[in-house]
Amino acid sequence: MTDHTNPPLRNDEGHPMETLSRAQIESIARWIGAVTSHPDATAEQLEAVYQYVSTARLSDIAETAKSLGY
């Protein structure tokens, strides 16, 4: 991991509030859980996922998780 501390996740930088279904939320949770708990995950991969989920629209994150089979 990197030596710096990441700021808290924020998804409020100009994105309107989105309504997600329970299935979409569960899909996101399964995907993030699988990535962060994978024994071979590198710091770079974890940083990339962090950057994506902290800046992307929630609906885009849900679509990514779904497209990856979660």
Side-chain angles (χ1 to χ4, degrees):
M1 290 278 239
T2 57
D3 291 335
H4 71 281
T5 300
N6 290 324
L9 291 178
R10 295 179 54 125
N11 200 357
D12 63 354
E13 286 139 24
H15 297 301
M17 182 61 97
E18 297 180 75
T19 301
L20 299 179
S21 70
R22 180 183 178 119
Q24 288 174 302
I25 294 168
E26 289 173 349
S27 179
I28 292 169
R30 282 191 302 272
W31 173 54
I32 292 173
V35 170
T36 59
S37 66
H38 195 282
D40 296 327
T42 66
E44 291 80 16
Q45 291 168 325
L46 295 173
E47 181 69 20
V49 169
Y50 174 86
Q51 290 301 321
Y52 177 64
V53 300
S54 65
T55 58
R57 296 175 60 94
L58 291 174
S59 57
D60 292 340
I61 298 168
E63 185 60 36
T64 297
K66 181 180 176 185
S67 71
L68 294 171
Y70 295 97

